[in-house]
Amino acid sequence: MIYKLDYTKEIQWDYGFLTKKCKDAGIEDEFETHQMRLRAKCVGLFLTIHLFFTSLHSALLLTTCVYLDLIYLDIFCYWGVAAIIIAVMWPNVNVEFAMKHKFMMTLTSVIAVLTIVSVDLVLNYLHYRYNEWLLDSIFDEYIILMIYMFFPIPQVYAAMGLALCVTVIYVVYFAVYLGSEYRYKLGDETRFTQIIVELCNYICLNMMGTYFRVMLEIVVRASLLDRHQYVMEDTALRSARAQERLFLHSILPPQIAQPIQDDIRKRLEAIKRQHKMPNIRSHRIISIQIHTDVTILYADIVNYTMLTTTLPVKRLVALLHALYARFDKVASQYSVQRIKFLGDCYYCVAGLIKPDPNHAQSCVDLGLSMIDSIREVRNKVKIDIDMRVGVHSGELFAGVLGTAKLQYDVWGIDVLIANRLESTGTAGQIHVSERTLQMTDDKYKAYPGTEKARKDTFLQKCQIATFLIGVEETTKRDLSGHVSVNSGYFINDTIDKGLSLEEELKKMPLGPDGLKEFICKVFNFKNTGPTSSAASSEIGSFLLQFHDPRLDYNYIHQADYMLKYSVLLAWCCEMSLIYVQLMDSLHMNSISFSVVVILIFTSSALLIITWCKKICYWRYSSLSHTYSAVTYFLFKLADGIQHSLIQRIVIYVYFIVSYFCIIAIILNNCDEDEFQLLQIDSIVYKYDPDNKLCFSPWSLTCMVCLIIMMSIIFTRIPFGMKILVGFLETVSYLSIMIYQYEYVVHNSLTTNPYLISEYAHCLLIVITLCIIFFKERLIEFNNKINYKWRVELIKKQNDYRIAAQSITILLHNILPAHVVNVYLTSLAKHEFYYENYDMVAVMFASLKNFEMTLPNLRVLNEIISEFDQILYYYRDNYRVEKIKIVGSTYMAACGLDVHTELSIKNESDSHNSLIQEVQRARILQASYLKRNYSIIDEKEEVVFVLTTFALDLMRTLWVCNNDYKNIPIDRAVFNADMSIGISSGEVMAGVVGASQVQYDIWGHAANMASRMDSTGVAGKIQVTQNTAFILKKYGVECNYRGMTFVKGQGILPTYFVDIDSNFEFRYKQDSF
């Protein structure tokens, strides 16, 4: 078995990797800005802590020291230092100033450090030189901690360098200078041992500070990269979905699209939990609205039939696109909603989307502008075309029908009247009804309508009087809104730019409520500065727990990919403590020795386990290396620990227990009574005492400070638990030292003249706990805020994806699947989108004598939905596409995908009749090929597939007719008669229009299919001669009908597909 190393997740928390990734992402400047804000916050927190420390220290000196003569000097110096530090460090609180003068951060930090160190050592020297007080320093650990945790030093190495300089200064002064001065009190061996112990303490302190700085920068960089990633994804997603939404609303008005989209979104959310693909086909969508006060405009291009026979298809579609783009722009200016276009017919409605009292005038003005536009194009391209326009006002039904390729449409008697006004009108004039003319307040000069309109039976039946408005009698309209063929202007109009990384970082809170916010809250003052109250409302003030328990649970159960660094630091701290124990003990019993050995072994084993992957990655990252089963077991063991909160807590508790085991050994080796007697004897008889007889209190106190720090900064342990452990460590150690080993501690060095040593030890422990608590509280708050925002952004992203998925489903239900992405890409490049196909089968299927009333529209929706159910089988496997619905006419085509593969993908899921028909047809095709020895174009199979689809529609309609027998509807209106026309050949498909695009097909095959339907017979499938010849290749009988007059083509031979009474094809008998 081959074992490989997977370090992909761990590398994301590597310092070098994150630094490189920030630079590659181009957010290094944002990182520096955010770091400046964090440093400013830390400087403010440092000044607060330092004032608190100075106040506490001064109060302790004033209240506990018996003689205050020497204390006043110390207090004066301490407050003088505090004043200097505030004056020096305060400019760093201003982020703008710090950004302009970056060198000032390091310079002011060095000045502050040197001020504290110099005053501390000067006071120490003066007290020992003139007052014979040998003192220890309380500022050495304090200032080193402050350098790493609060001082605004930009670079980690600079902070390390400054801290090491402070370390060297203190080591040289206390270990070398004072040691040499008081050699009579300290033997050479003892002095050397204490120097090593002090060095261990300082080394661990610097390691812990460096660890803290590096971990802090890793967390900040990781958080910033997460925020950058989400912001970029959000921006890209908003932009892309805004384009699709605008595109969707250009096809379906928002009030129609939104309910359908909401319904799809609810179903997406419901089925997301079941891990199923969304399927719109299982739900019947009907969305029809009644509009009682609108104006309908129908416009038809005169001589369009001549254009289809004289112009190449590409030039024809480009011309239509240019015209319709102009019309869409002008319609938008007049607030008129374009519904759709049918070849050369363009119709729209005013007052549909929003109520408009001037809807009649808007439509008339639009019609006049359209005539101006087409004449302008006619003069430019030298083509004899004109526009015939009909306008009528009234009421209508508007909405969508079916479940596939949803298209917005309008129906009603007044729609038919407007259509009839257009067909009976005159080129270059607006043919309006009397009602429309009255609503324009006689603004236009009108003439009586055409003779053809007065003789029209439908208009007479509806008692419609008509009038003509000529373009010559109107003022010239502004056509400055010219739209070119490559128009795509609408898509960029209202795109939401999404989130901004800079703005998001400005909104990020830098810490929990501090003293300023607390005072403002208690005394009800107005806080004029930036506040994090909104974020604090989600998080507890002290222990920083989420108010939502689920968030808190998920947060603390995150994987800890920085565990190895915590273990390394804990191991170093333990080794240092063991060294102190060895140096301070004269002898050690077998039990203590065994405990120490076990602790060394177990902690080292943990170190190896947690660092195994890192070491192997360092060594073999550039090589293809196969690991042994033992090594792989260590990898899995480390992964398990990283992902398990319980195991991490066990390791954490183990190190805490091991620390106190070592401390217990140190304390157990100390005989306080013997030590007290030895001290008395050394004073009486004036000889050097044996300092190894008992532990060194200050060395142990310093190590306990490190233990408290280690307990609190251990990563991915619940914050409340760490604070509780740190508090218990503090209380336990101080209780033991004060009550159990009071004499040993009392005889150790102090930090100020006349200050009791116990108080000095307590002060160091307490101030260390406070420093670590406030710093870790700040970091924990930022981590939790980042986590909460990340969760919110992921939730928002999921919401966007659901909304985007619902839009995508609708888009795929409006355009052919292969067109959606390609078209949006073309639109983004401002390109005219079109496709050419050599062989496409086109079908028109019309219900006869179907009146468009509201009850009948519901029936029609059911019928079309059933047709769409059949369409899904053909669309998935045979690329049959529904083009549009015009009234009660269903238009479809097969072969409109360049990737069409006419093979059944999964026969068990496909339509049974479709399988049988295609398999039989292919057998007959092979038989025909053997007999005729001719080459059959495989693309011609689209003709047979679409004819099979047409036959399935006839079968479906027959079933619907039987189902509706038991439903009380007007039988005189609804019947199962349907005529179908099919033609095949070369077509061009494309998306035309500007603000309201529409996918359509053009070409001789599309025109002939429409004519086959309009001249057809109910219950029959009429085809052209060429289509009939192709079907015969597949064994399908086609009966010659005779010579039929076809508009624009003259008299042509046509055929009926031979279908028996069971709606089955009749095949040639000699084919079997």
Side-chain angles (χ1 to χ4, degrees):
M1 189 172 181
I2 299 176
Y3 300 103
K4 295 292 185 180
L5 172 63
D6 182 11
Y7 203 70
T8 54
K9 294 182 179 178
E10 287 83 352
I11 193 64
Q12 295 178 10
W13 292 90
D14 183 80
Y15 179 82
F17 174 82
L18 290 172
T19 303
K20 183 178 182 300
K21 196 171 180 181
C22 284
K23 292 179 179 178
D24 293 342
I27 59 172
E28 196 67 23
D29 291 340
E30 286 79 4
F31 169 75
E32 288 297 332
T33 302
H34 186 60
Q35 283 285 72
M36 288 290 184
R37 296 177 66 228
L38 283 174
R39 291 177 191 130
K41 178 76 175 181
C42 290
V43 168
L45 191 56
F46 160 69
L47 295 178
T48 303
I49 292 175
H50 189 72
L51 287 176
F52 168 75
F53 176 56
T54 304
S55 301
L56 179 63
H57 195 183
S58 301
L60 190 65
L61 292 175
L62 291 173
T63 55
T64 60
C65 294
V66 179
Y67 302 101
L68 300 178
D69 296 340
L70 301 179
I71 298 302
Y72 289 138
L73 175 63
D74 290 1
I75 294 176
F76 175 78
C77 290
Y78 293 156
W79 282 102
V81 169
I84 293 173
I85 289 176
I86 292 175
V88 171
M89 299 296 292
W90 188 255
N92 295 311
V93 177
N94 189 325
V95 179
E96 295 182 358
F97 176 83
M99 286 293 294
K100 293 179 180 178
H101 308 85
K102 294 183 179 181
F103 70 94
M104 289 293 293
M105 294 183 296
T106 303
L107 179 61
T108 53
S109 298
V110 171
I111 293 174
V113 168
L114 292 179
T115 301
I116 295 175
V117 172
S118 59
V119 170
D120 181 37
L121 294 182
V122 167
L123 285 175
N124 191 288
Y125 176 78
L126 291 176
H127 286 309
Y128 124 79
R129 176 61 65 182
Y130 297 104
N131 303 305
E132 298 185 352
W133 275 96
L134 182 60
L135 302 173
D136 205 341
S137 173
I138 201 170
F139 283 102
D140 52 354
E141 289 199 7
Y142 171 81
I143 194 61
I144 292 175
L145 286 180
M146 288 300 178
I147 289 173
Y148 284 112
M149 296 188 178
F150 292 102
F151 278 19
I153 304 174
Q155 301 298 327
V156 176
Y157 293 114
M160 291 175 60
L162 184 59
L164 288 176
C165 288
V166 173
T167 299
V168 171
I169 291 173
Y170 276 106
V171 168
V172 169
Y173 177 77
F174 285 105
V176 178
Y177 178 72
L178 287 184
S180 61
E181 287 288 324
Y182 286 84
R183 183 170 298 183
Y184 65 93
K185 289 187 177 182
L186 297 171
D188 290 340
E189 182 181 354
T190 303
R191 184 165 63 89
F192 177 78
T193 301
Q194 288 191 351
I195 292 175
I196 299 300
V197 170
E198 290 293 332
L199 279 176
C200 287
N201 175 59
Y202 283 128
I203 289 173
C204 288
L205 192 63
N206 279 275
M207 286 180 61
M208 204 163 290
T210 303
Y211 165 85
F212 191 88
R213 278 293 299 261
V214 173
M215 291 302 102
L216 176 61
E217 186 164 337
I218 286 176
V219 170
V220 172
R221 286 188 181 274
S223 301
L224 188 65
L225 283 169
D226 284 341
R227 187 57 47 83
H228 173 261
Q229 178 183 353
Y230 287 123
V231 168
M232 293 300 102
E233 287 183 1
D234 178 83
T235 303
L237 190 61
R238 282 174 181 260
S239 177
R241 296 318 177 192
Q243 290 185 356
E244 292 188 355
R245 189 178 298 108
L246 288 172
F247 178 42
L248 171 64
H249 290 167
S250 74
I251 301 172
L252 296 179
Q255 70 269 29
I256 296 294
Q258 196 61 47
I260 300 174
Q261 190 177 341
D262 291 342
D263 179 74
I264 295 175
R265 187 181 295 112
K266 290 178 182 177
R267 286 187 284 129
L268 283 172
E269 293 173 349
I271 66 180
K272 184 179 179 181
R273 296 184 291 270
Q274 303 175 7
H275 304 287
K276 295 180 180 179
M277 292 300 294
N279 192 348
I280 196 174
R281 72 182 71 176
S282 61
H283 186 75
R284 296 289 170 82
I285 297 175
I286 179 168
S287 182
I288 297 177
Q289 299 174 335
I290 302 176
H291 299 270
T292 58
D293 188 19
V294 296
T295 297
I296 308 103
L297 179 147
Y298 267 82
D300 191 79
I301 299 175
V302 179
N303 290 333
Y304 176 76
T305 304
M306 180 270 295
L307 293 178
T308 61
T309 58
T310 58
L311 288 180
V313 178
K314 181 176 179 179
R315 186 180 178 192
L316 172 64
V317 176
L319 177 63
L320 289 177
H321 179 68
L323 285 173
Y324 291 155
R326 282 172 171 259
F327 296 165
D328 286 347
K329 184 60 184 288
V330 179
S332 176
Q333 291 175 348
Y334 287 114
S335 300
V336 179
Q337 174 71 32
R338 192 257 282 164
I339 305 302
K340 65 172 63 172
F341 46 79
L342 310 172
D344 61 334
C345 180
Y346 182 103
Y347 62 101
C348 51
V349 179
L352 187 66
I353 305 303
K354 295 180 181 179
D356 182 8
N358 298 319
H359 55 80
Q361 180 179 334
S362 296
C363 267
V364 173
D365 287 341
L366 173 60
L368 295 171
S369 296
M370 292 168 72
I371 294 173
D372 287 341
S373 295
I374 200 167
R375 289 182 176 179
E376 184 177 327
V377 172
R378 178 181 65 185
N379 296 332
K380 185 176 296 185
V381 299
K382 307 301 180 183
I383 296 178
D384 184 19
I385 54 175
D386 209 334
M387 183 68 72
R388 190 169 56 237
V389 181
V391 179
H392 175 63
S393 302
E395 65 178 19
L396 52 76
F397 308 110
V400 295
L401 295 177
T403 61
K405 295 297 178 287
L406 304 180
Q407 292 183 358
Y408 192 59
D409 208 346
V410 293
W411 309 273
I413 299 298
D414 291 315
V415 175
L416 297 177
I417 292 173
N419 188 11
R420 199 60 64 91
L421 286 174
E422 175 271 312
S423 62
T424 59
T426 302
Q429 293 184 315
I430 312 294
H431 198 194
V432 301
S433 64
E434 183 178 16
R435 181 179 180 183
T436 300
L437 187 64
Q438 290 173 352
M439 296 180 70
T440 61
D441 298 328
D442 298 326
K443 178 181 178 181
Y444 308 97
K445 187 175 182 180
Y447 300 93
T450 62
E451 183 68 21
K452 190 175 181 181
R454 286 191 289 271
K455 294 180 180 181
D456 187 88
T457 56
F458 180 76
L459 293 178
Q460 287 179 355
K461 178 182 177 182
C462 297
Q463 298 181 352
I464 300 297
T466 66
F467 298 88
L468 291 172
I469 298 176
V471 70
E472 293 81 10
E473 282 76 22
T474 62
T475 59
K476 185 68 175 179
R477 281 150 298 281
D478 181 16
L479 295 176
S480 59
H482 171 72
V483 182
S484 66
V485 171
N486 295 329
S487 175
Y489 69 92
F490 75 98
I491 214 73
N492 297 314
D493 284 349
T494 57
I495 291 179
D496 184 2
K497 299 301 182 183
L499 304 176
S500 166
L501 180 60
E502 184 178 355
E503 294 300 321
E504 284 297 299
L505 293 181
K506 288 181 180 178
K507 291 189 295 184
M508 286 178 63
L510 300 174
D513 292 342
L515 181 63
K516 178 181 178 182
E517 291 80 6
F518 176 77
I519 294 174
C520 293
K521 196 177 294 184
V522 171
F523 296 98
N524 199 24
F525 292 156
K526 183 178 180 181
N527 187 4
T528 57
T531 179
S532 58
S533 57
S536 299
S537 63
E538 303 287 339
I539 299 177
S541 299
F542 183 73
L543 295 179
L544 304 179
Q545 75 283 1
F546 282 115
H547 293 164
D548 184 353
R550 292 171 299 178
L551 272 179
D552 222 41
Y553 178 85
N554 293 331
Y555 174 79
I556 63 177
H557 281 80
Q558 295 180 95
D560 183 11
Y561 296 111
M562 294 188 294
L563 176 66
K564 54 183 172 290
Y565 300 107
S566 298
V567 171
L568 174 61
L569 195 61
W571 182 86
C572 292
C573 187
E574 182 176 320
M575 295 301 107
S576 298
L577 197 58
I578 290 175
Y579 179 79
V580 171
Q581 182 263 326
L582 294 174
M583 292 298 101
D584 284 345
S585 301
L586 290 174
H587 60 276
M588 186 166 53
N589 57 39
S590 59
I591 297 177
S592 299
F593 180 78
S594 300
V595 170
V596 170
V597 171
I598 292 173
L599 291 178
I600 293 175
F601 177 78
T602 53
S603 59
S604 299
L606 285 174
L607 183 68
I608 293 172
I609 291 172
T610 54
W611 274 86
C612 182
K613 291 183 72 175
K614 179 72 173 178
I615 294 172
C616 290
Y617 177 76
W618 274 342
R619 185 173 181 182
Y620 301 112
S621 59
S622 59
L623 303 174
S624 179
H625 186 74
T626 302
Y627 297 91
S628 65
V630 175
T631 306
Y632 187 72
F633 172 75
L634 293 179
F635 292 166
K636 300 300 291 184
L637 190 60
D639 288 338
I641 296 174
Q642 289 177 163
H643 288 82
S644 173
L645 175 64
I646 302 299
Q647 294 182 40
R648 296 200 304 268
I649 291 178
V650 169
I651 292 175
Y652 172 75
V653 173
Y654 159 77
F655 277 110
I656 302 300
V657 172
S658 67
Y659 295 153
F660 278 89
C661 286
I662 299 171
I663 291 177
I665 294 174
I666 294 175
L667 297 178
N668 187 57
N669 289 333
C670 176
D671 188 341
E672 188 177 14
D673 295 335
E674 185 178 353
F675 177 80
Q676 186 174 353
L677 290 174
L678 186 63
Q679 289 292 325
I680 295 173
D681 289 346
S682 66
I683 295 173
V684 173
Y685 298 106
K686 296 183 179 179
Y687 67 87
D688 294 336
D690 187 358
N691 288 284
K692 282 192 175 184
L693 189 62
C694 209
F695 61 87
S696 172
W698 276 110
S699 298
L700 193 58
T701 298
C702 291
M703 292 307 300
V704 170
C705 288
L706 293 178
I707 293 172
I708 294 173
M709 293 171 58
M710 188 67 246
S711 303
I712 294 179
I713 68 175
F714 204 98
T715 58
R716 289 284 186 260
I717 300 297
F719 181 71
M721 180 180 181
K722 293 193 292 186
I723 297 303
L724 178 62
V725 169
F727 178 76
L728 292 177
E729 288 171 343
T730 301
V731 173
S732 301
Y733 178 73
L734 292 180
S735 299
I736 293 173
M737 299 299 286
I738 292 175
Y739 296 105
Q740 184 68 27
Y741 297 93
E742 179 185 5
Y743 185 81
V744 177
V745 176
H746 184 77
N747 281 274
S748 64
L749 295 178
T750 185
T751 56
N752 295 91
Y754 305 109
L755 177 66
I756 300 175
S757 297
E758 293 93 312
Y759 294 156
H761 286 270
C762 290
L763 181 62
L764 179 60
I765 293 288
V766 170
I767 198 62
T768 300
L769 178 64
C770 291
I771 291 173
I772 300 303
F773 167 75
F774 283 109
K775 184 61 178 181
E776 187 65 19
R777 179 172 176 261
L778 176 66
I779 301 304
E780 181 75 6
F781 178 84
N782 289 331
N783 286 341
K784 287 200 168 183
I785 288 296
N786 288 335
Y787 176 78
K788 180 180 180 298
W789 281 19
R790 190 185 310 163
V791 170
E792 290 178 351
L793 283 168
I794 291 175
K795 181 179 180 299
K796 186 184 296 183
Q797 190 177 42
N798 289 334
D799 292 341
Y800 283 151
R801 284 173 179 167
I802 291 177
Q805 198 172 1
S806 66
I807 292 175
T808 302
I809 291 174
L810 275 178
L811 287 177
H812 282 268
N813 231 22
I814 292 170
L815 294 178
H818 72 283
V819 171
V820 176
N821 295 328
V822 178
Y823 170 68
L824 289 176
T825 302
S826 299
L827 188 63
K829 297 178 180 178
H830 301 285
E831 297 173 350
F832 169 50
Y833 176 73
Y834 66 92
E835 304 165 328
N836 285 311
Y837 298 98
D838 297 331
M839 174 55 67
V840 173
V842 186
M843 181 205 76
F844 281 80
S846 299
L847 296 175
K848 297 298 185 182
N849 303 318
F850 198 92
E851 185 178 351
M852 294 297 186
T853 61
L854 185 58
N856 290 341
L857 283 175
R858 296 184 182 275
V859 175
L860 180 61
N861 181 68
E862 292 296 321
I863 295 172
I864 292 176
S865 296
E866 291 294 338
F867 288 176
D868 290 342
Q869 287 291 98
I870 301 299
L871 175 72
Y872 281 115
Y873 294 106
Y874 287 86
R875 189 178 73 175
D876 292 344
N877 296 309
Y878 286 90
R879 301 294 191 266
V880 174
E881 293 287 352
K882 176 182 174 183
I883 304 302
K884 57 189 171 186
I885 298 175
V886 183
S888 59
T889 300
Y890 193 101
M891 180 183 178
C894 182
L896 288 176
D897 189 352
V898 294
H899 302 293
T900 298
E901 296 180 1
L902 297 177
S903 59
I904 300 175
K905 299 176 184 176
N906 190 342
E907 295 188 2
S908 62
D909 296 332
S910 301
H911 201 39
N912 288 333
S913 66
L914 181 58
I915 298 172
Q916 296 170 4
E917 299 291 353
V918 173
Q919 288 178 346
R920 177 186 297 177
R922 285 176 175 170
I923 293 173
L924 296 177
Q925 180 197 33
S927 176
Y928 180 88
L929 179 61
K930 290 179 180 179
R931 296 194 312 271
N932 295 275
Y933 300 100
S934 61
I935 298 176
I936 298 179
D937 189 350
E938 292 182 359
K939 295 180 180 179
E940 292 179 347
E941 194 173 9
V942 299
V943 176
F944 176 77
V945 171
L946 191 64
T947 308
T948 307
F949 174 68
L951 184 61
D952 271 336
L953 295 189
M954 296 181 70
R955 293 166 178 160
T956 302
L957 187 61
W958 182 84
V959 173
C960 291
N961 185 46
N962 290 335
D963 290 341
Y964 286 131
K965 285 181 179 179
N966 300 322
I967 299 177
I969 60 175
D970 188 356
R971 305 303 305 174
V973 174
F974 174 74
N975 57 72
D977 290 337
M978 178 173 65
S979 64
I980 298 178
I982 297 177
S983 181
S984 59
E986 183 180 356
V987 301
M988 180 176 182
V991 181
V992 298
S995 61
Q996 293 170 277
V997 296
Q998 180 175 323
Y999 181 81
D1000 208 346
I1001 60 176
W1002 301 268
H1004 181 69
N1007 295 335
M1008 290 304 297
S1010 176
R1011 303 308 182 203
M1012 291 299 100
D1013 172 42
S1014 61
T1015 60
V1017 177
K1020 298 287 186 179
I1021 301 177
Q1022 183 174 225
V1023 298
T1024 60
Q1025 185 178 30
N1026 182 58
T1027 303
F1029 178 73
I1030 294 174
L1031 289 173
K1032 288 179 181 179
K1033 294 181 182 180
Y1034 290 88
V1036 178
E1037 284 283 5
C1038 294
N1039 299 326
Y1040 176 66
R1041 178 187 182 184
M1043 303 300 290
T1044 306
F1045 175 77
V1046 177
K1047 182 181 177 182
Q1049 299 295 325
I1051 299 176
L1052 298 175
T1054 60
Y1055 293 79
F1056 287 132
V1057 178
D1058 199 355
I1059 302 171
D1060 62 20
S1061 58
N1062 294 323
F1063 294 102
E1064 298 286 348
F1065 289 132
R1066 293 185 189 273
Y1067 290 94
K1068 297 178 182 179
Q1069 296 300 321
D1070 60 349
S1071 299
F1072 298 96

